[in-house]
Every structure is written in structure tokens, then in C-alpha cells.
mmCIF file of all heavy atoms in Angstrom:
data_model
loop_
_atom_site.group_PDB
_atom_site.id
_atom_site.type_symbol
_atom_site.label_atom_id
_atom_site.label_comp_id
_atom_site.label_asym_id
_atom_site.label_seq_id
_atom_site.Cartn_x
_atom_site.Cartn_y
_atom_site.Cartn_z
ATOM 1 N N LEU A 1 42.219 -61.490 95.214
ATOM 2 C CA LEU A 1 40.842 -61.961 95.039
ATOM 3 C C LEU A 1 40.795 -63.492 95.080
ATOM 4 O O LEU A 1 41.800 -64.158 94.826
ATOM 5 C CB LEU A 1 40.274 -61.443 93.722
ATOM 6 C CG LEU A 1 40.077 -59.921 93.640
ATOM 7 C CD1 LEU A 1 39.435 -59.534 92.315
ATOM 8 C CD2 LEU A 1 39.233 -59.414 94.796
ATOM 9 N N PRO A 2 39.631 -64.078 95.390
ATOM 10 C CA PRO A 2 39.536 -65.538 95.546
ATOM 11 C C PRO A 2 39.498 -66.279 94.214
ATOM 12 O O PRO A 2 38.525 -66.972 93.885
ATOM 13 C CB PRO A 2 38.226 -65.705 96.338
ATOM 14 C CG PRO A 2 37.382 -64.554 95.905
ATOM 15 C CD PRO A 2 38.346 -63.410 95.739
ATOM 16 N N TRP A 3 40.580 -66.169 93.461
ATOM 17 C CA TRP A 3 40.621 -66.786 92.134
ATOM 18 C C TRP A 3 40.527 -68.305 92.191
ATOM 19 O O TRP A 3 39.953 -68.930 91.281
ATOM 20 C CB TRP A 3 41.894 -66.372 91.409
ATOM 21 C CG TRP A 3 41.981 -64.891 91.154
ATOM 22 C CD1 TRP A 3 42.854 -64.003 91.720
ATOM 23 C CD2 TRP A 3 41.136 -64.118 90.290
ATOM 24 N NE1 TRP A 3 42.617 -62.726 91.251
ATOM 25 C CE2 TRP A 3 41.565 -62.769 90.374
ATOM 26 C CE3 TRP A 3 40.070 -64.428 89.447
ATOM 27 C CZ2 TRP A 3 40.971 -61.744 89.653
ATOM 28 C CZ3 TRP A 3 39.465 -63.412 88.727
ATOM 29 C CH2 TRP A 3 39.926 -62.087 88.838
ATOM 30 N N VAL A 4 41.067 -68.917 93.225
ATOM 31 C CA VAL A 4 41.046 -70.379 93.291
ATOM 32 C C VAL A 4 39.632 -70.917 93.418
ATOM 33 O O VAL A 4 39.385 -72.090 93.119
ATOM 34 C CB VAL A 4 41.915 -70.901 94.455
ATOM 35 C CG1 VAL A 4 43.383 -70.570 94.225
ATOM 36 C CG2 VAL A 4 41.444 -70.336 95.799
ATOM 37 N N ALA A 5 38.707 -70.062 93.855
ATOM 38 C CA ALA A 5 37.312 -70.481 93.994
ATOM 39 C C ALA A 5 36.419 -69.842 92.936
ATOM 40 O O ALA A 5 35.202 -69.854 93.061
ATOM 41 C CB ALA A 5 36.801 -70.122 95.391
ATOM 42 N N THR A 6 37.031 -69.289 91.901
ATOM 43 C CA THR A 6 36.283 -68.601 90.851
ATOM 44 C C THR A 6 36.133 -69.488 89.620
ATOM 45 O O THR A 6 37.082 -70.133 89.180
ATOM 46 C CB THR A 6 37.000 -67.294 90.453
ATOM 47 O OG1 THR A 6 37.014 -66.403 91.585
ATOM 48 C CG2 THR A 6 36.303 -66.612 89.296
ATOM 49 N N TRP A 7 34.927 -69.508 89.078
ATOM 50 C CA TRP A 7 34.627 -70.202 87.831
ATOM 51 C C TRP A 7 34.169 -69.157 86.820
ATOM 52 O O TRP A 7 33.449 -68.221 87.180
ATOM 53 C CB TRP A 7 33.492 -71.212 88.027
ATOM 54 C CG TRP A 7 33.828 -72.368 88.918
ATOM 55 C CD1 TRP A 7 34.183 -72.333 90.231
ATOM 56 C CD2 TRP A 7 33.826 -73.743 88.551
ATOM 57 N NE1 TRP A 7 34.404 -73.594 90.714
ATOM 58 C CE2 TRP A 7 34.187 -74.487 89.697
ATOM 59 C CE3 TRP A 7 33.545 -74.429 87.364
ATOM 60 C CZ2 TRP A 7 34.277 -75.875 89.687
ATOM 61 C CZ3 TRP A 7 33.629 -75.809 87.345
ATOM 62 C CH2 TRP A 7 33.998 -76.512 88.499
ATOM 63 N N VAL A 8 34.585 -69.302 85.558
ATOM 64 C CA VAL A 8 34.175 -68.333 84.545
ATOM 65 C C VAL A 8 33.563 -69.017 83.333
ATOM 66 O O VAL A 8 33.979 -70.101 82.920
ATOM 67 C CB VAL A 8 35.342 -67.429 84.107
ATOM 68 C CG1 VAL A 8 35.810 -66.549 85.260
ATOM 69 C CG2 VAL A 8 36.493 -68.236 83.549
ATOM 70 N N THR A 9 32.557 -68.366 82.801
ATOM 71 C CA THR A 9 31.892 -68.778 81.567
ATOM 72 C C THR A 9 31.746 -67.519 80.709
ATOM 73 O O THR A 9 32.096 -66.418 81.135
ATOM 74 C CB THR A 9 30.499 -69.367 81.854
ATOM 75 O OG1 THR A 9 29.731 -68.405 82.609
ATOM 76 C CG2 THR A 9 30.594 -70.645 82.662
ATOM 77 N N TRP A 10 31.226 -67.692 79.497
ATOM 78 C CA TRP A 10 31.000 -66.547 78.606
ATOM 79 C C TRP A 10 29.569 -66.561 78.108
ATOM 80 O O TRP A 10 29.061 -67.591 77.681
ATOM 81 C CB TRP A 10 31.957 -66.592 77.414
ATOM 82 C CG TRP A 10 33.313 -66.064 77.770
ATOM 83 C CD1 TRP A 10 33.794 -64.803 77.571
ATOM 84 C CD2 TRP A 10 34.356 -66.780 78.447
ATOM 85 N NE1 TRP A 10 35.068 -64.690 78.083
ATOM 86 C CE2 TRP A 10 35.441 -65.893 78.621
ATOM 87 C CE3 TRP A 10 34.482 -68.086 78.933
ATOM 88 C CZ2 TRP A 10 36.628 -66.258 79.250
ATOM 89 C CZ3 TRP A 10 35.660 -68.463 79.559
ATOM 90 C CH2 TRP A 10 36.714 -67.549 79.709
ATOM 91 N N GLY A 11 28.941 -65.382 78.140
ATOM 92 C CA GLY A 11 27.565 -65.283 77.680
ATOM 93 C C GLY A 11 27.422 -65.494 76.192
ATOM 94 O O GLY A 11 26.379 -65.938 75.718
ATOM 95 N N ASP A 12 28.489 -65.194 75.443
ATOM 96 C CA ASP A 12 28.446 -65.452 74.007
ATOM 97 C C ASP A 12 29.864 -65.529 73.478
ATOM 98 O O ASP A 12 30.834 -65.221 74.183
ATOM 99 C CB ASP A 12 27.646 -64.372 73.274
ATOM 100 C CG ASP A 12 28.427 -63.069 73.117
ATOM 101 O OD1 ASP A 12 29.006 -62.592 74.121
ATOM 102 O OD2 ASP A 12 28.471 -62.530 72.002
ATOM 103 N N GLU A 13 29.976 -65.941 72.218
ATOM 104 C CA GLU A 13 31.297 -66.066 71.601
ATOM 105 C C GLU A 13 31.167 -65.969 70.092
ATOM 106 O O GLU A 13 30.174 -66.417 69.504
ATOM 107 C CB GLU A 13 31.923 -67.418 71.981
ATOM 108 C CG GLU A 13 33.330 -67.640 71.467
ATOM 109 C CD GLU A 13 34.336 -66.626 71.961
ATOM 110 O OE1 GLU A 13 34.380 -65.525 71.360
ATOM 111 O OE2 GLU A 13 35.074 -66.925 72.915
ATOM 112 N N ARG A 14 32.159 -65.357 69.479
ATOM 113 C CA ARG A 14 32.285 -65.424 68.024
ATOM 114 C C ARG A 14 32.741 -66.839 67.669
ATOM 115 O O ARG A 14 33.575 -67.402 68.374
ATOM 116 C CB ARG A 14 33.286 -64.387 67.537
ATOM 117 C CG ARG A 14 32.855 -62.947 67.808
ATOM 118 C CD ARG A 14 33.974 -61.981 67.475
ATOM 119 N NE ARG A 14 33.551 -60.605 67.621
ATOM 120 C CZ ARG A 14 33.576 -59.926 68.769
ATOM 121 N NH1 ARG A 14 34.016 -60.532 69.875
ATOM 122 N NH2 ARG A 14 33.183 -58.680 68.820
ATOM 123 N N TYR A 15 32.202 -67.383 66.578
ATOM 124 C CA TYR A 15 32.562 -68.763 66.264
ATOM 125 C C TYR A 15 33.873 -68.795 65.495
ATOM 126 O O TYR A 15 33.926 -68.969 64.266
ATOM 127 C CB TYR A 15 31.436 -69.468 65.501
ATOM 128 C CG TYR A 15 31.547 -70.969 65.666
ATOM 129 C CD1 TYR A 15 31.400 -71.535 66.932
ATOM 130 C CD2 TYR A 15 31.848 -71.803 64.594
ATOM 131 C CE1 TYR A 15 31.540 -72.903 67.112
ATOM 132 C CE2 TYR A 15 31.986 -73.168 64.773
ATOM 133 C CZ TYR A 15 31.833 -73.706 66.038
ATOM 134 O OH TYR A 15 31.982 -75.067 66.230
ATOM 135 N N VAL A 16 34.948 -68.598 66.264
ATOM 136 C CA VAL A 16 36.311 -68.552 65.733
ATOM 137 C C VAL A 16 37.200 -69.388 66.649
ATOM 138 O O VAL A 16 36.822 -69.687 67.791
ATOM 139 C CB VAL A 16 36.839 -67.104 65.666
ATOM 140 C CG1 VAL A 16 36.036 -66.272 64.669
ATOM 141 C CG2 VAL A 16 36.824 -66.456 67.052
ATOM 142 N N PRO A 17 38.396 -69.768 66.200
ATOM 143 C CA PRO A 17 39.312 -70.490 67.091
ATOM 144 C C PRO A 17 39.618 -69.684 68.349
ATOM 145 O O PRO A 17 39.572 -68.447 68.343
ATOM 146 C CB PRO A 17 40.569 -70.669 66.219
ATOM 147 C CG PRO A 17 40.075 -70.575 64.815
ATOM 148 C CD PRO A 17 38.937 -69.601 64.838
ATOM 149 N N HIS A 18 39.957 -70.372 69.414
ATOM 150 C CA HIS A 18 40.206 -69.704 70.687
ATOM 151 C C HIS A 18 41.391 -68.754 70.654
ATOM 152 O O HIS A 18 41.463 -67.826 71.463
ATOM 153 C CB HIS A 18 40.412 -70.750 71.788
ATOM 154 C CG HIS A 18 39.166 -71.495 72.113
ATOM 155 N ND1 HIS A 18 39.170 -72.696 72.801
ATOM 156 C CD2 HIS A 18 37.855 -71.244 71.842
ATOM 157 C CE1 HIS A 18 37.932 -73.129 72.947
ATOM 158 N NE2 HIS A 18 37.113 -72.278 72.374
ATOM 159 N N ASP A 19 42.318 -68.963 69.718
ATOM 160 C CA ASP A 19 43.464 -68.071 69.627
ATOM 161 C C ASP A 19 43.262 -66.970 68.588
ATOM 162 O O ASP A 19 44.176 -66.194 68.305
ATOM 163 C CB ASP A 19 44.742 -68.849 69.316
ATOM 164 C CG ASP A 19 44.657 -69.643 68.010
ATOM 165 O OD1 ASP A 19 43.582 -69.627 67.365
ATOM 166 O OD2 ASP A 19 45.657 -70.284 67.649
ATOM 167 N N ASP A 20 42.054 -66.867 68.034
ATOM 168 C CA ASP A 20 41.751 -65.805 67.084
ATOM 169 C C ASP A 20 41.634 -64.473 67.822
ATOM 170 O O ASP A 20 41.080 -64.420 68.926
ATOM 171 C CB ASP A 20 40.423 -66.121 66.377
ATOM 172 C CG ASP A 20 40.138 -65.186 65.221
ATOM 173 O OD1 ASP A 20 39.808 -64.006 65.483
ATOM 174 O OD2 ASP A 20 40.227 -65.615 64.063
ATOM 175 N N PRO A 21 42.148 -63.382 67.263
ATOM 176 C CA PRO A 21 42.057 -62.082 67.936
ATOM 177 C C PRO A 21 40.636 -61.643 68.252
ATOM 178 O O PRO A 21 40.433 -60.815 69.157
ATOM 179 C CB PRO A 21 42.708 -61.122 66.922
ATOM 180 C CG PRO A 21 43.613 -61.983 66.114
ATOM 181 C CD PRO A 21 42.930 -63.310 66.019
ATOM 182 N N GLN A 22 39.635 -62.196 67.557
ATOM 183 C CA GLN A 22 38.252 -61.815 67.809
ATOM 184 C C GLN A 22 37.596 -62.637 68.921
ATOM 185 O O GLN A 22 36.472 -62.331 69.330
ATOM 186 C CB GLN A 22 37.432 -61.964 66.536
ATOM 187 C CG GLN A 22 37.840 -61.031 65.417
ATOM 188 C CD GLN A 22 36.859 -61.095 64.274
ATOM 189 O OE1 GLN A 22 35.723 -60.634 64.365
ATOM 190 N NE2 GLN A 22 37.281 -61.701 63.185
ATOM 191 N N SER A 23 38.261 -63.662 69.402
ATOM 192 C CA SER A 23 37.663 -64.534 70.402
ATOM 193 C C SER A 23 37.501 -63.821 71.747
ATOM 194 O O SER A 23 38.456 -63.260 72.283
ATOM 195 C CB SER A 23 38.544 -65.777 70.599
ATOM 196 O OG SER A 23 38.142 -66.513 71.736
ATOM 197 N N ASN A 24 36.303 -63.860 72.290
ATOM 198 C CA ASN A 24 36.072 -63.283 73.624
ATOM 199 C C ASN A 24 36.908 -64.000 74.675
ATOM 200 O O ASN A 24 37.487 -63.360 75.564
ATOM 201 C CB ASN A 24 34.584 -63.375 73.987
ATOM 202 C CG ASN A 24 33.719 -62.447 73.165
ATOM 203 O OD1 ASN A 24 34.200 -61.487 72.567
ATOM 204 N ND2 ASN A 24 32.432 -62.743 73.107
ATOM 205 N N TYR A 25 36.950 -65.308 74.578
ATOM 206 C CA TYR A 25 37.767 -66.077 75.518
ATOM 207 C C TYR A 25 39.240 -65.734 75.373
ATOM 208 O O TYR A 25 39.949 -65.516 76.367
ATOM 209 C CB TYR A 25 37.565 -67.577 75.297
ATOM 210 C CG TYR A 25 38.702 -68.414 75.833
ATOM 211 C CD1 TYR A 25 38.957 -68.477 77.209
ATOM 212 C CD2 TYR A 25 39.552 -69.106 74.966
ATOM 213 C CE1 TYR A 25 40.022 -69.222 77.701
ATOM 214 C CE2 TYR A 25 40.609 -69.859 75.456
ATOM 215 C CZ TYR A 25 40.841 -69.912 76.821
ATOM 216 O OH TYR A 25 41.899 -70.630 77.305
ATOM 217 N N GLY A 26 39.724 -65.673 74.132
ATOM 218 C CA GLY A 26 41.132 -65.378 73.904
ATOM 219 C C GLY A 26 41.534 -64.031 74.482
ATOM 220 O O GLY A 26 42.608 -63.893 75.088
#
């Protein structure tokens, strides 16, 4: 897939550190 041309965002997030198990990004 064209990953080099892909940008990602998140519609929402739990307000936790990025390495928290609950983080959508993590």
C-alpha cells in the first residue's frame, strides 16, 4: 500500500500518555 504518501490523524483520544495501554494512538 502507498504508505509513504499516507498521513494519519485520530478522530479522538483518551487523555493519557501515548504509551498508555488505553491510548488510541499507542
Side-chain angles (χ1 to χ4, degrees):
L1 294 183
W3 297 112
V4 295
T6 296
W7 293 61
V8 295
T9 55
W10 279 264
D12 76 312
E13 183 60 278
R14 296 172 175 86
Y15 203 64
V16 295
H18 291 163
D19 58 358
D20 189 287
Q22 295 188 71
S23 169
N24 290 341
Y25 159 66

